[in-house]
Amino acid sequence: MNTVALGRRRYGILLCLVTHKDLPVDHKMRAGEGTANATLVFLARNSDLSGVLSSMQHVENHFNKRFGYPWVFLNEEEFSLEFKSAVKEQTSATVSFGLIPKDHWYQPDWIDEERATQGRKEMAAANIIYADNVPYRNMCRFNSGFFFKHPLLQPYRYYWRVEPDIQYFCDVTYDPFDYLRDNNKTYGFTISFYEWEKTIPTLWATLKEFMDLHPQYIAPANAMSYLSDDGGETYNLCHFWSNFEIADMDFWRGEAYQKWGDAPVHSIAAALFMPKDQLHFFRDIGYRHGPFQHCPKGQDWNDGKCTCQSWDTLDYASQSCIPRYEKMFH
C-alpha cells in the first residue's frame, strides 16, 4: 500500500472512531498516555446513572484523564439516550455501549426453576443477603462466566472493573495495566476479606471434586495457603473483593477457567490456577465500595496525594484477609 493510500486509510479509521463512539477503539490510536491493550469495564443499568457518573468522575480525575483508556458499558437492556449522553460528557475517551446476550445473563432452560425458587426462599428465610434477588444473581453469573466473552471486549486483553457509587482517594500516576504486563502479573485487587459461609454452602466441595478430576490445572506454587489453613481440606472463606479488579482477561478465556465453568468466584480460580506471584495487591490505590475501603499508608499515601484516612474503614481490619495474603510471600 502506498503512502497516500495508507494515509487515507488511517484517516478513514480515525474518522470512523470519532463519529461512531459506540464502536471499540484501536488502543494504538487513542489519545492519552495509556498504551496497553486495555479498557475500563462498567456493568450498569439506566437507573444507576447518578452512581455511574460519580464513579466515572473519580476514575477520570485520579487516573484516566491522563491515560485516556476507553470505557465499555454493558447492560442486559438497551441504554437510554439520556444515559449515553450523560456518560460521554464525563470523559474525553472513547465510550462503547453493549447489550448483554440473554444466554449470558439469564439461567439456562435446563435449570429446575421450581427447585431453584424453593432454594432462594429457604435462603431468604435464613436472612441470607441477596437470597431471592434474581437480578443480582444474574449479575454475579455474568461477571463470573461471561463478561470477558462480550463482543465489545474481544479487542482487549486487560480490564479495570468499575461499579456505581465507588470512590477513589489517591492519584494513580502510573499505568496499572503496564505494571501487570511488565511484571508478569495476571490479577490485581485492593480489598480482601472473609466470605459469608451461608452464601456458598457447596462451593468448596465442588472445587475439591474439580481438583480431583483435573489436577493438571492446579498451578505449582499457587495460593492455596491464602484460601485454606489445612492444605485444601476446608475453605477459610478468604476472597478478593471482585468489585475492584485490574486483570488479564486471557486468564478467564484460558482452558483451566473455561473447564471450571461459571460457578466459582474469581478469587478461587485466581488463587489456584495461576502461580501466587502472578497475583498483585494494589496497596497504593485508595478505593471504597461501602462499607469497606482500602486506604494506602506511609509513602504510598503521600505519593498518591490521598484524601482517605485509615480510621474511615468500618471494621475492615478485623475481617481482612490481607495478612494471610502477605504471609505467603514471607
Side-chain angles (χ1 to χ4, degrees):
M1 185 179 294
N2 63 40
T3 305
V4 174
L6 181 59
R8 287 174 178 168
R9 183 173 180 269
R10 287 176 174 168
Y11 176 78
I13 293 173
L14 182 59
L15 182 61
C16 175
L17 293 173
V18 171
T19 57
H20 297 279
K21 292 195 75 178
D22 286 3
L23 297 176
V25 63
D26 183 341
H27 68 279
K28 295 178 182 178
M29 302 183 69
R30 191 170 55 241
E33 297 180 19
T35 60
N37 184 12
T39 185
L40 302 160
V41 180
F42 210 134
L43 180 62
R45 290 193 173 96
N46 290 310
S47 58
D48 294 325
L49 181 56
S50 177
V52 166
L53 298 180
S54 175
S55 296
M56 287 187 72
Q57 186 176 46
H58 276 269
V59 176
E60 287 290 329
N61 287 345
H62 287 292
F63 170 72
N64 206 46
K65 67 182 180 182
R66 172 181 169 186
F67 290 92
Y69 281 106
W71 290 84
V72 172
F73 285 83
L74 302 175
N75 190 353
E76 82 272 22
E77 299 178 352
E78 293 285 357
F79 284 110
S80 67
L81 293 177
E82 176 191 5
F83 186 99
K84 291 182 177 182
S85 177
V87 161
K88 289 178 180 179
E89 289 295 322
Q90 292 294 308
T91 179
S92 59
T94 298
V95 183
S96 305
F97 300 95
L99 182 65
I100 297 171
K102 291 187 180 299
D103 60 337
H104 287 185
W105 187 259
Y106 297 101
Q107 63 189 32
D109 294 337
W110 50 264
I111 292 292
D112 185 338
E113 182 55 38
E114 183 176 341
R115 181 180 177 186
T117 300
Q118 181 60 34
R120 291 193 295 269
K121 288 181 179 178
E122 291 174 0
M123 288 189 291
N127 295 319
I128 294 177
I129 189 171
Y130 301 123
D132 56 355
N133 188 329
V134 175
Y136 180 84
R137 291 175 171 275
N138 290 341
M139 180 270 290
C140 291
R141 179 174 186 269
F142 176 72
N143 279 327
S144 293
F146 296 99
F147 85 93
F148 49 89
K149 298 179 180 180
H150 194 279
L152 288 180
L153 293 179
Q154 296 316 295
Y156 304 109
R157 177 173 177 180
Y158 296 97
Y159 73 99
W160 182 329
R161 179 172 164 179
V162 185
E163 296 206 349
D165 295 306
I166 53 92
Q167 296 171 274
Y168 284 88
F169 301 111
C170 312
D171 291 339
V172 183
T173 57
Y174 67 99
D175 191 332
F177 299 122
D178 281 350
Y179 182 87
L180 294 186
R181 182 193 63 204
D182 297 342
N183 292 277
N184 193 31
K185 304 292 184 180
T186 301
Y187 184 87
F189 66 97
T190 59
I191 292 176
S192 172
F193 58 88
Y194 295 98
E195 181 61 274
W196 189 13
E197 189 170 12
K198 289 183 178 180
T199 65
I200 51 167
T202 63
L203 179 59
W204 197 252
T206 302
L207 172 69
K208 290 169 68 176
E209 291 177 9
F210 179 85
M211 289 192 295
D212 287 341
L213 289 172
H214 303 285
Q216 70 273 24
Y217 294 133
I218 308 304
N222 60 50
M224 175 64 85
S225 62
Y226 163 78
L227 300 172
S228 175
D229 300 328
D230 51 19
E233 184 61 30
T234 60
Y235 180 29
N236 64 24
L237 305 178
C238 282
H239 71 291
F240 309 121
W241 210 19
S242 61
N243 53 63
F244 172 97
E245 292 179 328
I246 302 178
D248 184 344
M249 282 185 283
D250 282 357
F251 175 72
W252 311 127
R253 294 164 177 156
E255 182 178 344
Y257 193 75
Q258 290 299 296
K259 189 74 174 181
W260 172 244
D262 66 336
V265 293
H266 284 182
S267 304
I268 291 176
L272 296 184
F273 300 160
M274 69 176 73
K276 63 185 179 183
D277 60 6
Q278 291 182 12
L279 300 169
H280 182 66
F281 172 31
F282 281 105
R283 64 179 69 250
D284 54 348
I285 295 182
Y287 173 79
R288 180 180 181 88
H289 187 138
F292 299 109
Q293 76 175 35
H294 167 67
C295 186
K297 299 178 180 179
Q299 194 60 45
D300 288 333
W301 192 91
N302 291 327
D303 291 345
K305 301 178 181 179
C306 302
T307 58
C308 56
Q309 299 293 336
S310 59
W311 46 258
D312 288 337
T313 304
L314 300 181
D315 197 30
Y316 174 48
S318 64
Q319 302 177 48
S320 176
C321 287
I322 294 298
R324 291 180 183 271
Y325 172 82
E326 294 183 323
K327 186 178 180 180
M328 294 192 299
F329 301 97
H330 298 289

